Amino acid sequence: MKIDKQMLIGLHLGNGYGSQSGAWRFPGVDPKSYTSFDARVKQAQAAERGKFQFLFLPDGPGAVMADIDTDAPAFNLDVMLTLAAVARETKYIGLVATGSTTFNEPFNLARQFKALDVMSHGRAGWNAITSSGEDVAANYGRKIPSSADRYGRAHEVVQLIQALWGSWGKDAWVHNQQSGQFAKKDQIAPINLQGKFVSSSGPLYIPPSEQGQPIIFHAGGSPNAHRLAGRFANVVIGSAFTIEDAKDQRNTFKRAAESFGRDPDEIKYIPGLMTTIAKDRRAALDRRIRLSGDFLLQRIGYLQQMLGVPLNALRFNEPISKSLLDIARPSYYDPRSANALKIAREGWSIRDILAHGVIDYHPVIVGPGIEAANHMQEWFETGAADGFCISPDVNADGIGAFVDEVVPILQERKLFHQDYEGKTLREHLGAPNQYGLTHEFKI
């Protein structure tokens, strides 16, 4: 079956512990693995065993973590060093890292990502996003620019980087020891591009990889994000809590691509999915309760707002009364509320409702692998997603649980490939060939 008829699966790697804040304290987890590149390699190898198409490393350059007293930072030590380590110990899985267009110089980003692409033999991807936090800006001694300036700069940065990636001609590298010619000088040319926000003379001194140059990803959902992704991205990492919302987002990005003269099918929409895979729902809930500690009790106030009814903390281990459920209404302001009310009406205790992950930042599957497979199939077949970016609760065993319990079901249903059909990320994604800037530089 062709890859464009099957779903894509990525692994959200984050800080390496897992998606739950208590993952670093979970039994069997090395609490020092935050600084272990060997641990990241093992996690990547587990995902590659499951034939995942890519790893996705978020980054928030130097963001301050206010809860550092009890929680690990949300991000890796350094995304590029992490993926360089992973590149040497894997063969197929794509390597995608976030790089801010707001606080990085284009030449540096171009060099880092193309070097990773060459090192990994064509498996690199760049998640091109802007930065929006003042805490991040403060680390660079600056203020966050206006939205217009941030995205204006982003459009220039992506174009400039693509031009730099193509400044070393496809056939320029000769490396002929007999003749003494290393490269064809006339095929390695400066780009000399000047925009309103950034500029570079070039060229970049790195030859093409097996896929030519890295793949552009984007993560965001604002109108500005639609334009940036529609113009440049092949993959969007999204966040949606209902099939309807996911369909709307996916169609919006496709329309944005079309508005820039692109084939809308070039853009793949991949929302996040958080997983706790266990033998049954009760075992999975107990696992999440153990992971969360007292944190669930702290969330009871927000659950009240989601359902529109008062909740008693003294009845934390009891179901919500029928009289309250009869008048409960999902909050208009939080798209997760409808699911929270659905779970509540199934008769679970308040603790268990929260343990279902109803306030987490992506939809959560809590239960056996078939429940995750069913969710993914429904979203995929109804046109709500082209794939999923998986965030296990605890990476140490959660990646393996997904690979062993979910992937075989998807493969049996012919929804996911049996093996890698190529070696490059571009092949994994079915992305079109591109080398350099394919259109005239435009501010």
Side-chain angles (χ1 to χ4, degrees):
M1 186 177 289
K2 292 182 180 179
I3 196 166
D4 63 353
K5 298 298 183 183
Q6 293 180 308
M7 67 177 65
L8 306 168
I9 299 180
L11 174 66
H12 183 286
L13 206 50
N15 62 14
Y17 290 120
S19 66
Q20 299 303 294
S21 61
W24 71 274
R25 299 179 61 195
F26 203 68
V29 173
D30 178 0
K32 297 184 292 184
S33 63
Y34 173 60
T35 61
S36 171
F37 290 99
D38 290 339
R40 298 300 88 73
V41 166
K42 289 181 180 178
Q43 291 162 3
Q45 290 172 334
E48 188 170 74
R49 178 170 67 85
K51 314 303 179 185
F52 284 36
Q53 277 89 356
F54 63 91
L55 303 175
F56 178 77
L57 272 65
D59 197 18
V64 174
M65 303 303 295
D67 51 0
I68 194 69
D69 189 53
T70 56
D71 293 342
F75 306 114
N76 254 258
L77 299 183
D78 183 274
V79 292
M80 301 308 291
L81 287 177
T82 298
L83 291 183
V86 169
R88 301 290 292 172
E89 302 295 335
T90 55
K91 293 183 179 180
Y92 296 98
I93 195 164
L95 311 172
V96 183
T98 298
S100 170
T101 60
T102 307
F103 297 115
N104 287 298
E105 291 302 319
F107 190 87
N108 289 340
L109 285 173
R111 180 174 59 176
Q112 291 169 345
F113 277 93
K114 198 171 186 191
L116 176 65
D117 205 31
V118 169
M119 172 188 280
S120 64
H121 301 287
R123 293 186 281 139
W126 170 37
N127 179 36
I129 64 167
T130 68
S131 296
S132 59
E134 289 293 354
D135 55 345
V136 174
N139 288 329
Y140 295 88
R142 295 167 57 185
K143 295 288 186 180
I144 285 290
S146 67
S147 179
D149 284 354
R150 282 189 295 114
Y151 278 92
R153 176 185 168 96
H155 280 260
E156 290 186 9
V157 168
V158 175
Q159 291 178 88
L160 195 59
I161 286 175
Q162 289 182 330
L164 285 165
W165 283 342
S167 61
W168 184 300
K170 284 185 177 180
D171 303 313
W173 195 20
V174 180
H175 51 77
N176 188 316
Q177 291 178 318
Q178 285 68 43
S179 69
Q181 185 179 28
F182 184 76
K184 297 177 182 178
K185 185 177 179 180
D186 62 341
Q187 294 186 25
I188 303 172
I191 58 170
N192 293 321
L193 292 178
Q194 174 73 54
K196 177 182 176 182
F197 300 96
V198 293
S199 63
S200 181
S201 61
L204 192 66
Y205 44 87
I206 304 175
S209 72
E210 281 86 333
Q211 70 174 357
Q213 64 191 34
I215 300 285
I216 302 292
F217 280 58
H218 184 63
S222 68
N224 281 327
H226 297 152
R227 283 183 53 80
L228 187 66
R231 190 176 183 185
F232 301 112
N234 288 114
V235 178
V236 172
I237 304 296
S239 178
F241 292 94
T242 66
I243 284 178
E244 293 73 21
D245 184 24
K247 283 182 179 178
D248 287 345
Q249 290 192 41
R250 182 171 180 259
N251 290 335
T252 298
F253 282 110
K254 288 183 175 295
R255 286 195 299 270
E258 202 166 23
S259 73
F260 284 100
R262 298 175 60 197
D263 179 348
D265 290 334
E266 286 183 15
I267 253 189
K268 303 295 191 294
Y269 178 72
I270 302 181
L273 180 66
M274 302 172 76
T275 57
T276 294
I277 305 300
K279 63 179 182 179
D280 55 39
R281 182 76 62 89
R282 183 68 261 168
L285 289 172
D286 289 342
R287 175 180 167 100
R288 285 180 65 89
I289 289 169
R290 186 174 186 179
L291 273 166
S292 301
D294 295 333
F295 187 57
L296 292 181
L297 186 59
Q298 297 170 20
R299 288 187 152 188
I300 193 171
Y302 192 79
L303 183 60
Q304 287 184 142
Q305 297 177 38
M306 294 174 77
L307 303 182
V309 293
L311 300 177
N312 189 339
L314 296 178
R315 296 184 175 179
F316 195 49
N317 292 315
E318 300 175 17
I320 300 172
S321 68
K322 183 179 183 303
S323 60
L324 287 177
L325 288 176
D326 285 343
I327 62 172
R329 296 292 183 271
S331 170
Y332 174 80
Y333 301 101
D334 192 326
R336 300 169 294 186
S337 299
N339 181 57
L341 182 55
K342 172 181 172 292
I343 298 296
R345 286 175 171 162
E346 292 175 0
W348 300 96
S349 70
I350 296 173
R351 184 192 298 271
D352 286 342
I353 295 168
L354 290 165
H356 274 84
V358 296
I359 307 180
D360 277 5
Y361 51 87
H362 288 301
V364 181
I365 300 299
V366 182
I370 194 169
E371 292 189 16
N374 290 343
H375 172 98
M376 296 167 75
Q377 180 172 4
E378 183 181 15
W379 281 47
F380 179 69
E381 290 185 340
T382 56
D386 296 292
F388 300 87
C389 193
I390 306 300
S391 296
D393 54 358
V394 180
N395 286 351
D397 60 354
I399 301 171
F402 188 94
V403 168
D404 294 332
E405 303 296 331
V406 183
V407 168
I409 298 174
L410 297 173
Q411 291 173 327
E412 183 180 348
R413 297 176 182 179
K414 301 188 184 304
L415 297 167
F416 188 59
H417 64 182
Q418 294 287 335
D419 205 350
Y420 296 104
E421 298 177 2
K423 291 188 175 182
T424 70
L425 180 57
R426 198 170 294 273
E427 290 173 305
H428 299 342
L429 301 174
N433 291 327
Q434 180 179 2
Y435 191 68
L437 182 62
T438 55
H439 298 88
E440 182 181 355
F441 181 80
K442 185 176 181 181
I443 297 175

